[in-house]
Amino acid sequence: MRAVVRIACLAFVASTALWAQEKAAPLPPMGWNSWNHFAGHVTDADVRSAADMLVSTGMRDAGYVYVNVDDTWQGTRDAQGVIHPNDRFPDMKALGDYIHSKGLKFGIYSSPGPKTCGGYAGSIDHEAQDAKTYAEWGVDFLKYDLCSYQDLMIQAQKEHPEDTGIKNRMMIAAYKKMGDALKATGRPIVYSLCQYGIDDPWKWGPGVGASMWRTTDDIDDSYGRMIAIGFSQAGLSKYAGPGHWNDPDMLEVGNGKMTADEYRTHMSLWVLLAAPLLAGNDLSKMSDMDKSILMNKDAIAIDQDPLAKQGDRLYESGDLDVWTKPLSGGRVAVGLFNRSWSTRDISVDLAQIGFKNGGNVRDVWKGKDLGHRSGVFTDTILTHGVTLLIVSK
Ligand code: GLA
């Protein structure tokens, strides 16, 4: 009898934990993060202006609501161990209030180690205290970046060479410690793991209270790096769902080093992956092209579809790649990707993706309904380009 009660209690605890994550991130979080553009120079003024721009450009209304301050905001701890921001961030509570006043949400960054990747103060031995401070500042999102904690893991492995699981156990314990601390604040805070995909976080992330986890090392503003990350996500779809998302890193759209076709490939792949969409560009310098990619309604609707399923690869043939994502209402999103250096024809058999009698096809980037199609759908696609479709019955 006691065992039955215990199992029932455990099931209840597990379901409430998951419920908390779903409450924080029922769909892939969308917003903006300071790192890809401002990196270590970000200031309070930059973040306030990003919040203003999210509103004035229409990004907020398109769904981008998190304003996330990445690394390098931290100052020192006071005598009681409370963390304070550095000179570039005079008042974090006031910054949070400002962000909230715009109908946006406030995100912050730390590390389970003594130092962040940028060499600023991490949260080791201050997890509960920091979580409490963040909640007091009105934080809605925490990115927790492994950084220097990895050195402690390597050191422990050296001291215990026979214990092959020590690094993994330490890492999971460190992430769980902050996950528990965030939960204890009672504030729904999206918990975003950043440990570069080490040891399959998609398998243990939900157990430490995470709403999302990075699946790879860092992105940069190059087509080569972006597709290396994006197309390596095949096979991970079963690990995503409400409250727990695979994160192939932030967006580079608008940072200037890729062509329009390459950025459309980036956005198409990320929405098919139901990836968190965190823009990383200078919002004050968005071109019409950047806006048309980041704010395309159909593309965003694919990412945010209420069925909440991640897409996956249908087939790959040399440099051609076809991905699908199931959508609500029996619809399917399809991405036809041309990674080659020449213009190529790419096809998808509509019967193979559930449309034996054909379906209505919408071309997302052209913004056009192509009418009822059946059998094999083929499109001619420019180098590094993509055709993104929504097929419905
Ligand atoms: C790591 C992360 C990046 C960024 C930097 C900040 O490299 O993966 O996304 O947060 O640290 O130092």
Side-chain angles (χ1 to χ4, degrees):
M1 185 60 193
R2 271 167 71 196
V4 172
V5 171
R6 204 160 154 251
I7 289 167
C9 284
L10 282 176
F12 175 74
V13 169
S15 67
T16 25
L18 209 58
W19 181 78
Q21 288 148 246
E22 282 183 28
K23 197 173 156 208
L27 292 170
M30 291 176 66
W32 175 87
N33 173 295
S34 60
W35 186 254
N36 285 356
H37 179 75
F38 291 97
H41 307 289
V42 65
T43 65
D44 174 277
D46 296 329
V47 178
R48 283 172 189 250
S49 124
D52 294 345
M53 293 290 168
L54 283 171
V55 177
S56 64
T57 56
M59 289 279 282
R60 178 195 64 186
D61 294 343
Y64 295 86
V65 294
Y66 286 94
V67 181
N68 294 351
V69 182
D70 207 276
D71 200 359
T72 77
W73 62 265
Q74 305 87 336
T76 49
R77 295 186 183 278
D78 64 22
Q80 281 71 46
V82 176
I83 186 77
H84 292 274
N86 59 43
D87 292 351
R88 284 180 281 123
F89 289 88
D91 185 340
M92 292 306 252
K93 167 92 175 75
L95 178 58
D97 288 347
Y98 185 78
I99 289 169
H100 289 142
S101 77
K102 304 263 158 182
L104 297 163
K105 295 181 176 191
F106 180 28
I108 209 167
Y109 166 104
S110 190
S111 168
K115 296 269 180 234
T116 66
C117 296
Y120 288 70
S123 289
I124 195 165
D125 299 331
H126 294 275
E127 293 83 358
Q129 196 173 27
D130 285 359
K132 193 167 159 274
T133 303
Y134 303 155
E136 282 164 11
W137 289 346
V139 164
D140 307 293
F141 185 113
L142 173 69
K143 173 173 169 183
Y144 208 44
D145 195 348
L146 191 61
C147 305
S148 65
Y149 191 78
Q150 227 174 336
D151 302 337
L152 305 184
M153 289 158 51
I154 292 166
Q155 186 56 36
Q157 183 69 85
K158 268 195 198 137
E159 286 163 16
H160 303 277
E162 72 298 342
D163 185 352
T164 51
I166 194 166
K167 290 202 291 182
N168 172 275
R169 286 200 313 279
M170 280 177 72
M171 180 171 63
I172 294 177
Y175 276 101
K176 176 131 186 350
K177 201 166 185 187
M178 183 52 97
D180 290 346
L182 293 174
K183 232 173 268 166
T185 66
R187 188 177 170 86
I189 296 176
V190 172
Y191 185 31
S192 162
L193 311 190
C194 177
Q195 42 78 274
Y196 337 118
I198 298 168
D199 291 349
D200 302 352
W202 42 91
K203 293 186 181 153
W204 50 267
V208 303
S211 306
M212 53 190 265
W213 41 81
R214 280 272 295 278
T215 53
T216 70
D217 213 334
D218 292 12
I219 196 167
D220 61 38
D221 189 16
S222 71
Y223 179 72
R225 183 69 194 139
M226 181 275 290
I227 58 163
I229 290 180
F231 291 109
S232 73
Q233 305 299 295
L236 293 184
S237 57
K238 62 173 180 281
Y239 298 103
H244 46 280
W245 305 103
N246 290 307
D247 172 16
D249 207 355
M250 302 172 290
L251 295 169
E252 292 283 4
V253 177
N255 281 331
K257 299 215 175 92
M258 290 188 232
T259 65
D261 279 311
E262 291 171 344
Y263 280 139
R264 276 190 286 268
T265 290
H266 185 8
M267 186 73 177
S268 302
L269 200 41
W270 263 237
V271 301
L272 287 165
L273 293 170
L277 299 178
L278 295 171
N281 56 321
D282 180 352
L283 298 169
S284 67
K285 298 201 171 71
M286 284 219 278
S287 67
D288 288 345
M289 191 264 283
D290 302 334
K291 289 183 188 166
S292 74
I293 296 173
L294 287 170
M295 289 193 271
N296 181 291
K297 282 202 167 66
D298 289 321
I300 291 173
I302 292 173
D303 186 77
Q304 300 286 303
D305 185 79
L307 193 62
K309 292 235 189 277
Q310 176 171 336
D312 222 317
R313 173 177 276 142
L314 181 68
Y315 76 87
E316 185 184 20
S317 165
D319 283 334
L320 313 183
D321 223 315
V322 177
W323 288 58
T324 59
K325 178 187 197 281
L327 302 177
S328 53
R331 297 166 309 137
V332 177
V334 185
L336 309 173
F337 295 94
N338 176 8
R339 296 192 308 246
S340 81
W341 285 102
S342 55
T343 300
R344 302 282 290 275
D345 281 353
I346 310 184
S347 302
V348 61
D349 180 355
L350 297 177
Q352 197 194 341
I353 61 164
F355 298 90
K356 289 205 171 57
N357 302 316
N360 296 316
V361 178
R362 179 166 177 80
D363 184 317
V364 168
W365 296 118
K366 290 200 179 102
K368 258 199 198 150
D369 289 321
L370 306 180
H372 192 269
R373 300 293 185 90
S374 53
V376 174
F377 177 96
T378 302
D379 205 10
T380 302
I381 300 172
L382 299 176
T383 172
H384 294 184
V386 60
T387 291
L388 183 62
L389 306 171
I390 296 173
V391 188
S392 53
K393 292 240 159 82

Tab-separated table of all heavy atoms in Angstrom, residues 229-281:
chain	number	residue	atom	x	y	z
A	229	ILE	N	24.812	23.279	-38.048
A	229	ILE	CA	23.965	23.123	-36.860
A	229	ILE	C	22.567	22.650	-37.268
A	229	ILE	O	22.062	21.653	-36.771
A	229	ILE	CB	23.866	24.458	-36.087
A	229	ILE	CG1	25.201	24.780	-35.425
A	229	ILE	CG2	22.741	24.415	-35.057
A	229	ILE	CD1	25.210	26.072	-34.641
A	230	GLY	N	21.958	23.374	-38.192
A	230	GLY	CA	20.541	23.120	-38.526
A	230	GLY	C	20.295	21.704	-39.012
A	230	GLY	O	19.405	21.008	-38.504
A	231	PHE	N	21.105	21.260	-39.973
A	231	PHE	CA	20.847	19.936	-40.540
A	231	PHE	C	21.332	18.802	-39.637
A	231	PHE	O	21.037	17.646	-39.895
A	231	PHE	CB	21.433	19.836	-41.957
A	231	PHE	CG	20.688	20.694	-42.949
A	231	PHE	CD1	21.256	21.838	-43.482
A	231	PHE	CD2	19.389	20.364	-43.323
A	231	PHE	CE1	20.561	22.636	-44.377
A	231	PHE	CE2	18.680	21.155	-44.218
A	231	PHE	CZ	19.263	22.295	-44.744
A	232	SER	N	22.079	19.136	-38.569
A	232	SER	CA	22.493	18.075	-37.639
A	232	SER	C	21.385	17.745	-36.635
A	232	SER	O	21.554	16.884	-35.773
A	232	SER	CB	23.753	18.498	-36.867
A	232	SER	OG	23.415	19.484	-35.899
A	233	GLN	N	20.255	18.432	-36.755
A	233	GLN	CA	19.175	18.224	-35.778
A	233	GLN	C	18.286	17.020	-36.112
A	233	GLN	O	17.346	16.706	-35.365
A	233	GLN	CB	18.307	19.487	-35.657
A	233	GLN	CG	19.084	20.753	-35.328
A	233	GLN	CD	19.792	20.650	-34.001
A	233	GLN	OE1	19.169	20.557	-32.946
A	233	GLN	NE2	21.111	20.633	-34.035
A	234	ALA	N	18.575	16.359	-37.226
A	234	ALA	CA	17.750	15.214	-37.628
A	234	ALA	C	17.709	14.177	-36.509
A	234	ALA	O	18.729	13.901	-35.875
A	234	ALA	CB	18.314	14.594	-38.898
A	235	GLY	N	16.523	13.647	-36.254
A	235	GLY	CA	16.374	12.587	-35.254
A	235	GLY	C	16.004	13.081	-33.869
A	235	GLY	O	15.703	12.289	-32.979
A	236	LEU	N	16.002	14.405	-33.660
A	236	LEU	CA	15.724	14.925	-32.308
A	236	LEU	C	14.254	15.272	-32.081
A	236	LEU	O	13.871	15.683	-30.989
A	236	LEU	CB	16.581	16.169	-32.023
A	236	LEU	CG	18.089	15.946	-31.918
A	236	LEU	CD1	18.788	17.247	-31.539
A	236	LEU	CD2	18.403	14.863	-30.891
A	237	SER	N	13.420	15.112	-33.123
A	237	SER	CA	12.042	15.622	-33.010
A	237	SER	C	11.285	14.999	-31.847
A	237	SER	O	10.459	15.668	-31.229
A	237	SER	CB	11.280	15.405	-34.323
A	237	SER	OG	11.286	14.045	-34.679
A	238	LYS	N	11.573	13.743	-31.523
A	238	LYS	CA	10.751	13.112	-30.482
A	238	LYS	C	10.999	13.692	-29.085
A	238	LYS	O	10.233	13.433	-28.165
A	238	LYS	CB	10.937	11.599	-30.484
A	238	LYS	CG	12.323	11.094	-30.182
A	238	LYS	CD	12.253	9.552	-30.055
A	238	LYS	CE	13.577	8.931	-29.756
A	238	LYS	NZ	14.441	8.805	-30.942
A	239	TYR	N	12.049	14.470	-28.931
A	239	TYR	CA	12.350	15.010	-27.601
A	239	TYR	C	11.713	16.386	-27.349
A	239	TYR	O	11.862	16.935	-26.262
A	239	TYR	CB	13.867	15.103	-27.410
A	239	TYR	CG	14.519	13.751	-27.484
A	239	TYR	CD1	15.202	13.345	-28.622
A	239	TYR	CD2	14.410	12.857	-26.420
A	239	TYR	CE1	15.784	12.088	-28.704
A	239	TYR	CE2	14.981	11.591	-26.496
A	239	TYR	CZ	15.664	11.214	-27.636
A	239	TYR	OH	16.223	9.979	-27.718
A	240	ALA	N	11.058	16.951	-28.362
A	240	ALA	CA	10.481	18.296	-28.169
A	240	ALA	C	8.980	18.217	-27.943
A	240	ALA	O	8.324	17.288	-28.412
A	240	ALA	CB	10.773	19.143	-29.404
A	241	GLY	N	8.454	19.166	-27.234
A	241	GLY	CA	7.015	19.252	-27.003
A	241	GLY	C	6.740	20.366	-26.017
A	241	GLY	O	7.681	21.045	-25.571
A	242	PRO	N	5.469	20.574	-25.660
A	242	PRO	CA	5.141	21.685	-24.755
A	242	PRO	C	5.985	21.663	-23.476
A	242	PRO	O	6.037	20.656	-22.791
A	242	PRO	CB	3.663	21.439	-24.438
A	242	PRO	CG	3.156	20.665	-25.616
A	242	PRO	CD	4.302	19.802	-26.070
A	243	GLY	N	6.687	22.774	-23.222
A	243	GLY	CA	7.490	22.878	-22.001
A	243	GLY	C	8.899	22.354	-22.131
A	243	GLY	O	9.694	22.486	-21.205
A	244	HIS	N	9.251	21.748	-23.273
A	244	HIS	CA	10.641	21.273	-23.422
A	244	HIS	C	11.036	21.275	-24.890
A	244	HIS	O	10.536	20.504	-25.690
A	244	HIS	CB	10.833	19.899	-22.780
A	244	HIS	CG	9.769	18.902	-23.098
A	244	HIS	ND1	8.558	18.898	-22.464
A	244	HIS	CD2	9.737	17.894	-23.989
A	244	HIS	CE1	7.832	17.915	-22.953
A	244	HIS	NE2	8.507	17.292	-23.890
A	245	TRP	N	11.989	22.153	-25.215
A	245	TRP	CA	12.336	22.416	-26.613
A	245	TRP	C	13.820	22.249	-26.876
A	245	TRP	O	14.649	22.671	-26.077
A	245	TRP	CB	11.912	23.855	-26.976
A	245	TRP	CG	10.473	24.086	-26.686
A	245	TRP	CD1	9.953	24.759	-25.618
A	245	TRP	CD2	9.349	23.617	-27.445
A	245	TRP	NE1	8.578	24.736	-25.668
A	245	TRP	CE2	8.179	24.032	-26.784
A	245	TRP	CE3	9.229	22.875	-28.627
A	245	TRP	CZ2	6.907	23.732	-27.248
A	245	TRP	CZ3	7.965	22.579	-29.100
A	245	TRP	CH2	6.817	23.006	-28.413
A	246	ASN	N	14.124	21.633	-28.021
A	246	ASN	CA	15.509	21.603	-28.509
A	246	ASN	C	15.865	22.999	-29.015
A	246	ASN	O	15.071	23.620	-29.727
A	246	ASN	CB	15.638	20.613	-29.665
A	246	ASN	CG	15.490	19.167	-29.210
A	246	ASN	OD1	16.176	18.730	-28.287
A	246	ASN	ND2	14.586	18.431	-29.834
A	247	ASP	N	17.073	23.448	-28.690
A	247	ASP	CA	17.484	24.811	-29.047
A	247	ASP	C	18.769	24.772	-29.882
A	247	ASP	O	19.857	24.588	-29.334
A	247	ASP	CB	17.697	25.609	-27.745
A	247	ASP	CG	18.310	26.978	-27.985
A	247	ASP	OD1	18.298	27.454	-29.138
A	247	ASP	OD2	18.811	27.579	-27.009
A	248	PRO	N	18.647	24.926	-31.218
A	248	PRO	CA	19.852	24.918	-32.059
A	248	PRO	C	20.585	26.264	-32.071
A	248	PRO	O	21.352	26.532	-32.990
A	248	PRO	CB	19.293	24.544	-33.434
A	248	PRO	CG	17.875	25.028	-33.431
A	248	PRO	CD	17.402	25.069	-32.008
A	249	ASP	N	20.367	27.098	-31.089
A	249	ASP	CA	21.014	28.398	-30.867
A	249	ASP	C	20.214	29.529	-31.545
A	249	ASP	O	19.275	29.291	-32.297
A	249	ASP	CB	22.479	28.414	-31.310
A	249	ASP	CG	23.308	29.441	-30.515
A	249	ASP	OD1	22.715	30.189	-29.712
A	249	ASP	OD2	24.540	29.494	-30.698
A	250	MET	N	20.663	30.747	-31.267
A	250	MET	CA	19.876	31.937	-31.625
A	250	MET	C	19.982	32.246	-33.113
A	250	MET	O	20.828	31.706	-33.814
A	250	MET	CB	20.387	33.108	-30.791
A	250	MET	CG	20.273	32.789	-29.304
A	250	MET	SD	21.055	33.985	-28.230
A	250	MET	CE	22.787	33.755	-28.510
A	251	LEU	N	19.119	33.160	-33.556
A	251	LEU	CA	19.087	33.524	-34.976
A	251	LEU	C	20.190	34.529	-35.315
A	251	LEU	O	20.528	35.385	-34.498
A	251	LEU	CB	17.723	34.129	-35.319
A	251	LEU	CG	16.521	33.175	-35.188
A	251	LEU	CD1	15.214	33.958	-35.294
A	251	LEU	CD2	16.575	32.074	-36.239
A	252	GLU	N	20.683	34.422	-36.538
A	252	GLU	CA	21.667	35.399	-37.046
A	252	GLU	C	21.047	36.293	-38.115
A	252	GLU	O	21.742	37.169	-38.656
A	252	GLU	CB	22.879	34.670	-37.637
A	252	GLU	CG	23.749	33.936	-36.610
A	252	GLU	CD	24.659	34.864	-35.807
A	252	GLU	OE1	24.582	36.098	-35.971
A	252	GLU	OE2	25.441	34.338	-34.986
A	253	VAL	N	19.773	36.082	-38.428
A	253	VAL	CA	19.120	36.873	-39.480
A	253	VAL	C	19.306	38.363	-39.185
A	253	VAL	O	19.026	38.814	-38.067
A	253	VAL	CB	17.608	36.545	-39.555
A	253	VAL	CG1	16.917	37.415	-40.603
A	253	VAL	CG2	17.393	35.062	-39.846
A	254	GLY	N	19.788	39.105	-40.183
A	254	GLY	CA	19.941	40.550	-40.013
A	254	GLY	C	21.330	40.963	-39.583
A	254	GLY	O	21.629	42.160	-39.502
A	255	ASN	N	22.209	40.021	-39.309
A	255	ASN	CA	23.569	40.407	-38.903
A	255	ASN	C	24.494	40.632	-40.093
A	255	ASN	O	25.651	41.038	-39.913
A	255	ASN	CB	24.140	39.396	-37.897
A	255	ASN	CG	23.585	39.653	-36.499
A	255	ASN	OD1	23.251	40.801	-36.172
A	255	ASN	ND2	23.448	38.619	-35.697
A	256	GLY	N	24.011	40.343	-41.300
A	256	GLY	CA	24.672	40.887	-42.493
A	256	GLY	C	25.624	40.014	-43.279
A	256	GLY	O	26.058	40.411	-44.353
A	257	LYS	N	25.961	38.827	-42.774
A	257	LYS	CA	26.994	38.066	-43.495
A	257	LYS	C	26.439	36.912	-44.341
A	257	LYS	O	27.209	36.153	-44.927
A	257	LYS	CB	28.037	37.537	-42.508
A	257	LYS	CG	28.752	38.652	-41.755
A	257	LYS	CD	30.207	38.293	-41.486
A	257	LYS	CE	30.952	39.438	-40.841
A	257	LYS	NZ	30.945	39.393	-39.375
A	258	MET	N	25.111	36.795	-44.393
A	258	MET	CA	24.528	35.764	-45.269
A	258	MET	C	23.647	36.458	-46.302
A	258	MET	O	23.196	37.582	-46.101
A	258	MET	CB	23.693	34.756	-44.467
A	258	MET	CG	24.504	33.836	-43.574
A	258	MET	SD	23.473	32.514	-42.838
A	258	MET	CE	23.875	32.693	-41.108
A	259	THR	N	23.377	35.739	-47.408
A	259	THR	CA	22.492	36.295	-48.438
A	259	THR	C	21.036	36.122	-47.993
A	259	THR	O	20.755	35.378	-47.043
A	259	THR	CB	22.663	35.541	-49.774
A	259	THR	OG1	22.212	34.187	-49.573
A	259	THR	CG2	24.114	35.525	-50.236
A	260	ALA	N	20.120	36.766	-48.721
A	260	ALA	CA	18.698	36.639	-48.385
A	260	ALA	C	18.261	35.177	-48.461
A	260	ALA	O	17.535	34.688	-47.588
A	260	ALA	CB	17.867	37.500	-49.333
A	261	ASP	N	18.723	34.456	-49.485
A	261	ASP	CA	18.353	33.040	-49.597
A	261	ASP	C	18.883	32.236	-48.414
A	261	ASP	O	18.217	31.341	-47.908
A	261	ASP	CB	18.883	32.445	-50.917
A	261	ASP	CG	17.965	32.787	-52.080
A	261	ASP	OD1	16.745	32.584	-51.936
A	261	ASP	OD2	18.459	33.280	-53.111
A	262	GLU	N	20.101	32.572	-47.987
A	262	GLU	CA	20.696	31.840	-46.858
A	262	GLU	C	19.952	32.136	-45.552
A	262	GLU	O	19.706	31.236	-44.748
A	262	GLU	CB	22.181	32.193	-46.742
A	262	GLU	CG	22.974	31.629	-47.916
A	262	GLU	CD	24.418	32.105	-48.006
A	262	GLU	OE1	24.770	33.114	-47.346
A	262	GLU	OE2	25.178	31.474	-48.746
A	263	TYR	N	19.557	33.407	-45.354
A	263	TYR	CA	18.786	33.725	-44.146
A	263	TYR	C	17.389	33.082	-44.194
A	263	TYR	O	16.857	32.678	-43.167
A	263	TYR	CB	18.664	35.241	-43.955
A	263	TYR	CG	19.901	35.880	-43.346
A	263	TYR	CD1	20.367	37.111	-43.812
A	263	TYR	CD2	20.582	35.283	-42.288
A	263	TYR	CE1	21.481	37.713	-43.250
A	263	TYR	CE2	21.704	35.880	-41.725
A	263	TYR	CZ	22.149	37.089	-42.210
A	263	TYR	OH	23.253	37.687	-41.644
A	264	ARG	N	16.814	32.997	-45.407
A	264	ARG	CA	15.502	32.313	-45.499
A	264	ARG	C	15.666	30.829	-45.183
A	264	ARG	O	14.804	30.222	-44.559
A	264	ARG	CB	14.869	32.525	-46.877
A	264	ARG	CG	14.110	33.848	-46.969
A	264	ARG	CD	13.279	33.940	-48.232
A	264	ARG	NE	14.112	34.157	-49.400
A	264	ARG	CZ	14.424	35.360	-49.894
A	264	ARG	NH1	13.940	36.464	-49.326
A	264	ARG	NH2	15.196	35.472	-50.949
A	265	THR	N	16.807	30.257	-45.592
A	265	THR	CA	17.094	28.854	-45.223
A	265	THR	C	17.185	28.735	-43.699
A	265	THR	O	16.615	27.822	-43.094
A	265	THR	CB	18.419	28.397	-45.883
A	265	THR	OG1	18.187	28.276	-47.285
A	265	THR	CG2	18.916	27.078	-45.335
A	266	HIS	N	17.899	29.668	-43.067
A	266	HIS	CA	18.068	29.688	-41.602
A	266	HIS	C	16.693	29.720	-40.912
A	266	HIS	O	16.359	28.850	-40.100
A	266	HIS	CB	18.890	30.943	-41.272
A	266	HIS	CG	19.302	31.135	-39.850
A	266	HIS	ND1	19.138	30.200	-38.864
A	266	HIS	CD2	19.896	32.208	-39.238
A	266	HIS	CE1	19.596	30.673	-37.713
A	266	HIS	NE2	20.056	31.893	-37.921
A	267	MET	N	15.877	30.672	-41.300
A	267	MET	CA	14.567	30.829	-40.656
A	267	MET	C	13.682	29.607	-40.938
A	267	MET	O	13.007	29.105	-40.031
A	267	MET	CB	13.904	32.116	-41.172
A	267	MET	CG	12.611	32.485	-40.487
A	267	MET	SD	12.894	33.115	-38.798
A	267	MET	CE	11.193	33.524	-38.344
A	268	SER	N	13.700	29.113	-42.174
A	268	SER	CA	12.850	27.968	-42.534
A	268	SER	C	13.201	26.747	-41.699
A	268	SER	O	12.336	26.057	-41.167
A	268	SER	CB	13.031	27.596	-44.010
A	268	SER	OG	12.725	28.683	-44.836
A	269	LEU	N	14.508	26.505	-41.589
A	269	LEU	CA	14.964	25.335	-40.845
A	269	LEU	C	14.593	25.466	-39.370
A	269	LEU	O	14.089	24.533	-38.745
A	269	LEU	CB	16.479	25.226	-41.036
A	269	LEU	CG	17.192	23.911	-40.789
A	269	LEU	CD1	16.434	22.711	-41.311
A	269	LEU	CD2	18.572	23.976	-41.437
A	270	TRP	N	14.786	26.655	-38.812
A	270	TRP	CA	14.497	26.861	-37.385
A	270	TRP	C	12.994	26.704	-37.107
A	270	TRP	O	12.619	26.117	-36.099
A	270	TRP	CB	15.025	28.220	-36.925
A	270	TRP	CG	16.385	28.164	-36.262
A	270	TRP	CD1	16.677	28.610	-35.000
A	270	TRP	CD2	17.634	27.655	-36.799
A	270	TRP	NE1	18.021	28.399	-34.724
A	270	TRP	CE2	18.629	27.823	-35.796
A	270	TRP	CE3	18.007	27.072	-38.001
A	270	TRP	CZ2	19.954	27.423	-35.974
A	270	TRP	CZ3	19.341	26.673	-38.183
A	270	TRP	CH2	20.279	26.844	-37.183
A	271	VAL	N	12.143	27.188	-37.997
A	271	VAL	CA	10.703	27.050	-37.713
A	271	VAL	C	10.257	25.604	-37.894
A	271	VAL	O	9.400	25.119	-37.146
A	271	VAL	CB	9.805	28.034	-38.509
A	271	VAL	CG1	10.191	29.474	-38.219
A	271	VAL	CG2	9.783	27.747	-40.000
A	272	LEU	N	10.854	24.890	-38.855
A	272	LEU	CA	10.522	23.465	-39.010
A	272	LEU	C	10.975	22.678	-37.780
A	272	LEU	O	10.389	21.664	-37.423
A	272	LEU	CB	11.178	22.891	-40.271
A	272	LEU	CG	10.549	23.350	-41.599
A	272	LEU	CD1	11.475	23.044	-42.773
A	272	LEU	CD2	9.192	22.681	-41.826
A	273	LEU	N	12.036	23.150	-37.130
A	273	LEU	CA	12.566	22.485	-35.934
A	273	LEU	C	11.808	22.881	-34.663
A	273	LEU	O	12.183	22.442	-33.577
A	273	LEU	CB	14.050	22.836	-35.760
A	273	LEU	CG	14.995	22.280	-36.835
A	273	LEU	CD1	16.386	22.895	-36.699
A	273	LEU	CD2	15.078	20.761	-36.740
A	274	ALA	N	10.784	23.719	-34.788
A	274	ALA	CA	10.089	24.257	-33.607
A	274	ALA	C	11.131	24.803	-32.622
A	274	ALA	O	11.058	24.577	-31.409
A	274	ALA	CB	9.218	23.185	-32.929
A	275	ALA	N	12.131	25.496	-33.166
A	275	ALA	CA	13.205	26.039	-32.335
A	275	ALA	C	12.733	27.313	-31.640
A	275	ALA	O	11.904	28.046	-32.186
A	275	ALA	CB	14.410	26.371	-33.205
A	276	PRO	N	13.273	27.598	-30.450
A	276	PRO	CA	13.064	28.922	-29.881
A	276	PRO	C	13.580	29.936	-30.911
A	276	PRO	O	14.625	29.713	-31.528
A	276	PRO	CB	13.953	28.909	-28.637
A	276	PRO	CG	14.073	27.442	-28.282
A	276	PRO	CD	14.085	26.726	-29.597
A	277	LEU	N	12.849	31.024	-31.112
A	277	LEU	CA	13.266	32.032	-32.098
A	277	LEU	C	13.752	33.260	-31.343
A	277	LEU	O	12.955	34.090	-30.909
A	277	LEU	CB	12.101	32.392	-33.024
A	277	LEU	CG	11.520	31.255	-33.878
A	277	LEU	CD1	10.340	31.760	-34.711
A	277	LEU	CD2	12.587	30.646	-34.791
A	278	LEU	N	15.069	33.333	-31.134
A	278	LEU	CA	15.644	34.477	-30.438
A	278	LEU	C	16.484	35.253	-31.444
A	278	LEU	O	17.582	34.818	-31.813
A	278	LEU	CB	16.494	34.000	-29.251
A	278	LEU	CG	15.673	33.288	-28.155
A	278	LEU	CD1	16.572	32.642	-27.127
A	278	LEU	CD2	14.708	34.257	-27.469
A	279	ALA	N	15.918	36.374	-31.890
A	279	ALA	CA	16.631	37.210	-32.850
A	279	ALA	C	17.910	37.708	-32.181
A	279	ALA	O	17.940	37.943	-30.969
A	279	ALA	CB	15.748	38.373	-33.271
A	280	GLY	N	18.970	37.890	-32.977
A	280	GLY	CA	20.243	38.309	-32.385
A	280	GLY	C	20.834	39.469	-33.155
A	280	GLY	O	22.046	39.664	-33.166
A	281	ASN	N	19.982	40.258	-33.793
A	281	ASN	CA	20.478	41.349	-34.648
A	281	ASN	C	20.278	42.707	-33.985
A	281	ASN	O	19.616	42.820	-32.949
A	281	ASN	CB	19.769	41.313	-36.014
A	281	ASN	CG	18.265	41.371	-35.890
A	281	ASN	OD1	17.677	40.763	-34.992
A	281	ASN	ND2	17.619	42.102	-36.775
